[in-house]
Amino acid sequence: MQRRKLAALVAGAALALAPCTSVWSADTFPSKPLRLIVGFAPGGGADALTRIIAEGLSKQLGQQVVVENRPGADGVLAAQAVSSANPDGYTLLMGTNTAMVAAPTLRPKPPYDPFKAFTPISSAGQFSMFLVVPSSLPAKSVSELLALVAAKPGDYNSASSNSASELAMLQLLGEQRKVVNARYKGDMQAMTDLLGGQIHMMFTTGTLAPNFVKEGRIRALVTLQPQRSALLPDVPTGSELGLGKLTITPWAGFFGPPGLPKAVTEKLSQELQNTLKRPEVHAQLVQQGFEGYGMSPAKFAEFFRTQYDAFGATVREHNVKFD
């Protein structure tokens, strides 16, 4: 009799707990602050937009969203921190081309399989990027810049803080790869050296370029966007200049650890999509030269795979080797 009573109690307890698990994942999440990790230093484009979205997401969820910067190793440190985190939805990654595509594509020993090490949640959108040079450089167009490089091979250098900008520069230069590239942990440090004349050219985001262009300290020669940017409407697109070889799309998106529960993934995705539609978030992202848009987990996973395959094809086509 006692055993039957004990069995009945255990069964009742199990039934009572089952709804609680479902309610937690669907309704009570989140119940504490979230961490949003970004693989770039403070002050750059990725950091700026991450903080804008984090503030909007915090209002959307009713919980604090703390931005954590983990620069270095091409974003791998930040990505690995999220990949090894508890899959409860409280640790997320702001992932870009650098960590999610370049590192696993270009390294002889990939640090992870991006399709197994993460859970795609939602896209964040697309960066605007401009090719800029210091105003002291005697080049007022892309053709003039390429002529300078061709005339004095090895005399000029470039800067990059992410794989998209570095690969775009290689595409631009084509066979004239007589430019030494310096890698930085963030756009701000690279821009500082470009303003000082130590760097001659770089692709940078719309976060930094517009103000310096308007002040006359740098020139913007071309944008990687498919259409002219409202931030710098006088800057032509690659297609306008006949530079169809510029195919890199600098994007960002949100990822969680592997094994993230479907209910939590779906809720985060929907709240991120809603965040990107908030008027104040949209307005701030536009000022940063960022086109924000969200996607469902399934659509984002499909987008991610397409971008990964396209990046790899470009690398193979140009026989790119990153040290």
Side-chain angles (χ1 to χ4, degrees), residues 219-266:
R219 296 191 193 96
L221 306 183
V222 67
T223 177
L224 289 182
Q225 288 182 279
Q227 66 284 320
R228 293 197 180 200
S229 170
L231 294 173
L232 294 172
D234 294 332
V235 179
T237 66
S239 59
E240 288 180 79
L241 299 179
L243 300 173
K245 57 188 177 182
L246 293 179
T247 61
I248 296 301
T249 300
W251 57 270
F254 302 98
F255 297 83
L260 196 64
K262 183 177 180 180
V264 175
T265 302
E266 293 287 350

Side-chain angles (χ1 to χ4, degrees), residues 34-41 46-47 49-51 54 57 65-72 75-86 89-96 99-100 118 252-257:
L34 285 73
R35 285 193 306 159
L36 183 53
I37 301 180
V38 58
F40 297 95
D47 172 72
L49 73 93
T50 300
R51 294 182 183 278
L57 182 60
V65 179
V66 180
V67 175
E68 183 177 320
N69 298 87
R70 292 204 185 186
V76 169
L77 299 179
Q80 288 178 326
V82 173
S83 181
S84 62
N86 186 20
Y90 290 97
T91 302
L92 308 176
L93 174 70
M94 169 63 87
T96 66
M100 307 311 294
F118 306 94
F254 302 98
F255 297 83

Side-chain angles (χ1 to χ4, degrees), residues 118-156:
F118 306 94
T119 299
I121 299 173
S122 171
S123 62
Q126 179 180 333
F127 295 93
S128 62
M129 291 194 80
F130 302 92
L131 171 66
V132 298
V133 299
S135 56
S136 58
L137 196 73
K140 296 183 179 180
S141 67
V142 172
S143 60
E144 290 182 4
L145 176 64
L146 295 178
L148 286 177
V149 172
K152 295 183 178 181
D155 281 11
Y156 298 96

Side-chain angles (χ1 to χ4, degrees), residues 18-200:
C20 292
T21 302
S22 175
V23 169
W24 172 84
S25 62
D27 297 333
T28 65
F29 174 85
S31 58
K32 62 180 182 180
L34 285 73
R35 285 193 306 159
L36 183 53
I37 301 180
V38 58
F40 297 95
D47 172 72
L49 73 93
T50 300
R51 294 182 183 278
I52 291 169
I53 296 173
E55 183 178 355
L57 182 60
S58 177
K59 295 176 181 177
Q60 195 70 30
L61 293 174
Q63 283 288 350
Q64 185 180 12
V65 179
V66 180
V67 175
E68 183 177 320
N69 298 87
R70 292 204 185 186
D74 294 328
V76 169
L77 299 179
Q80 288 178 326
V82 173
S83 181
S84 62
N86 186 20
D88 55 8
Y90 290 97
T91 302
L92 308 176
L93 174 70
M94 169 63 87
T96 66
N97 304 60
T98 301
M100 307 311 294
V101 174
T105 301
L106 297 169
R107 292 193 178 190
K109 293 183 179 180
Y112 38 69
D113 180 336
F115 302 103
K116 295 180 180 179
F118 306 94
T119 299
I121 299 173
S122 171
S123 62
Q126 179 180 333
F127 295 93
S128 62
M129 291 194 80
F130 302 92
L131 171 66
V132 298
V133 299
S135 56
S136 58
L137 196 73
K140 296 183 179 180
S141 67
V142 172
S143 60
E144 290 182 4
L145 176 64
L146 295 178
L148 286 177
V149 172
K152 295 183 178 181
D155 281 11
Y156 298 96
N157 58 33
S158 63
S160 65
S161 65
N162 58 76
S163 63
S165 61
E166 189 164 353
L167 196 56
M169 185 65 72
L170 289 174
Q171 286 186 333
L172 175 71
L173 296 173
E175 298 301 321
Q176 299 180 34
R177 295 183 184 175
K178 304 295 185 179
V179 173
V180 177
N181 184 68
R183 295 181 186 173
Y184 290 76
K185 290 185 177 181
D187 262 16
M188 191 65 246
Q189 298 95 320
M191 180 62 74
T192 298
D193 284 350
L194 184 129
L195 291 169
Q198 292 92 347
I199 294 295
H200 301 115

Side-chain angles (χ1 to χ4, degrees), residues 257-275:
L260 196 64
K262 183 177 180 180
V264 175
T265 302
E266 293 287 350
K267 180 165 186 175
L268 281 170
S269 180
Q270 188 58 60
E271 296 296 358
L272 283 163
Q273 292 176 64
N274 292 338
T275 296

